[in-house]
Amino acid sequence: ISKVQKPNFAQTLRNISKLITIAVSNDNLETVREMKKLIPEYKSNNSVYEKLDCIKEDTFIAVSA
């Protein structure tokens, strides 16, 4: 049985604003990192950012265990 979290719209808005700020700075690595925070299922198809997939998966496994 799954539990669905109620979205916190104010926090989501802050996170999206932060993502936009990072994206405007042209820091692609940080932009992808922030995207992964917002959307944990996001997988990059660009090999440069695949290392972030591993970091997120390791963090998720550690938190879940």
Side-chain angles (χ1 to χ4, degrees):
I1 297 175
S2 172
K3 293 184 181 181
V4 177
Q5 294 180 349
K6 186 175 180 180
N8 181 334
F9 294 110
Q11 182 63 44
T12 301
L13 181 59
R14 286 190 294 273
N15 291 342
I16 291 171
S17 294
K18 182 177 179 183
L19 175 61
I20 291 168
T21 301
I22 293 169
V24 169
S25 74
N26 292 321
D27 186 343
N28 295 335
L29 185 64
E30 286 303 314
T31 300
V32 173
R33 187 185 317 269
E34 193 64 28
M35 288 171 55
K36 293 184 74 47
K37 287 180 188 176
L38 288 171
I39 308 165
E41 300 84 12
Y42 174 75
K43 299 287 184 191
S44 175
N45 291 328
N46 189 325
S47 61
V48 175
Y49 306 111
E50 286 178 357
K51 62 184 174 186
L52 296 175
D53 295 337
C54 296
I55 292 170
K56 186 63 178 175
E57 287 172 5
D58 290 345
T59 302
F60 181 74
I61 291 169
V63 171
S64 298

